Amino acid sequence: MDPELLILSSLAGGPKHGYAIMQEVALFSGIELGPGTLYTAITRLVDEGWIEPAEASGRQRPYRLTGQGLEHLREQLEKMRQLASFGLRRLRTA
Amino acid sequence: MTLRNILVRAYPRSWREEYGEELGAMLGQRAVSVGVVADVLAGAFRQHLRRDDPWKICGAFLFLWTVAGDLVNCHWFLLLLPPVFFITGAWTVMRDRSDTLSAARAVSKAAILAVLPDVVAVLLAGPNPVQLQDGIICFRWGIYTATILRPEWWEYFPSLARQVLPCIWVGCVGGLFGRLANGVREGLRG
């Protein structure tokens, strides 16, 4: 599954720093993102303007979803929902 | 220097300034296995591709390629230079939306990196072991750099322009291709 979508889904629940994102993603998807994969995705999401760094409390900055990011996540999840319902309908008639 | 610091330093400087401290802190919170090292190094490689100038990446690749070519003494290795110069020129123009001159500059810099191993090889081994490759679009500037230091090699100077210019032109053609691609991309966006 796309690491960027996993990160956006995690941040939909509120701002989190990298390590917390990694732990939550492992919890809800069973996918363990490596630090390199995580920060590659975070860099891209920041560059796209879908997430932004929040005020740092320690050495790790938390990130939060932007309005654009929320919209992008909604679109992607809607597409996945349509695909899933189409696939399931096909499976029922197979 | 710890393994954690080495891994963070594998990333480009501009990236480290933004995210280096966070990545370092994260690596400190977990065991650094072989899988984690591979994942972080792959991430560093991707960031170099995203952030570094194309001439540095292509030049570094050609540097290693030339070393390999020198070690096995295989001149057909040089045939890889034109396509890489083409890519360098096209990539530079497409990434920076710049002009063809910037492609020529980028290719010149990549070419200097590409021939550095030859410069060293010629300086160490002397002129005799190196065979000039007339008629191949690629070239070895090392031979000519050595000429400056070895007067008996001056006779080869006229070959310099003949062998250098095609390489720069290949980069310029790449630059033109990059401009065309930029135009098509902008046209598609409407």
Side-chain angles (χ1 to χ4, degrees), chain A residues 11-73:
Chain A
L11 292 180
K16 287 178 197 71
H17 56 69
Y19 194 68
I21 295 171
M22 204 158 68
Q23 283 181 317
E24 196 184 48
V25 165
L27 210 65
F28 73 73
S29 70
I31 295 171
E32 291 214 13
L33 296 176
T37 306
L38 178 78
Y39 273 96
T40 297
I42 285 179
T43 307
R44 180 156 182 264
L45 291 171
V46 171
D47 289 350
E48 293 283 349
W50 291 334
I51 66 172
E52 61 189 5
E55 202 60 37
S57 53
R59 287 181 71 195
Q60 289 206 326
R61 278 183 306 182
Y63 292 89
R64 63 174 165 238
L65 268 184
T66 62
Q68 248 182 311
L70 196 68
E71 194 53 41
H72 176 73
L73 176 63

Side-chain angles (χ1 to χ4, degrees), chain A residues 17-19 22 32-40 42-44 46-47 59-61 63, chain B residues 4 11 15 18-19 21-27 29-30 36 39-40 43 46-47 50-51:
Chain A
H17 56 69
Y19 194 68
M22 204 158 68
E32 291 214 13
L33 296 176
T37 306
L38 178 78
Y39 273 96
T40 297
I42 285 179
T43 307
R44 180 156 182 264
V46 171
D47 289 350
R59 287 181 71 195
Q60 289 206 326
R61 278 183 306 182
Y63 292 89
Chain B
R4 197 177 68 185
Y11 282 79
W15 190 92
E18 279 180 67
Y19 302 99
E21 199 181 0
E22 291 173 52
L23 179 63
M26 174 175 283
L27 291 172
Q29 285 176 299
R30 55 180 297 157
V36 168
D39 180 68
V40 172
R46 282 195 290 264
Q47 291 308 324
R50 276 172 71 94
R51 297 196 174 215

Side-chain angles (χ1 to χ4, degrees), chain A residues 2-20:
Chain A
D2 182 13
E4 288 158 14
L5 206 55
L6 294 172
I7 294 169
L8 289 175
S9 299
S10 170
L11 292 180
K16 287 178 197 71
H17 56 69
Y19 194 68

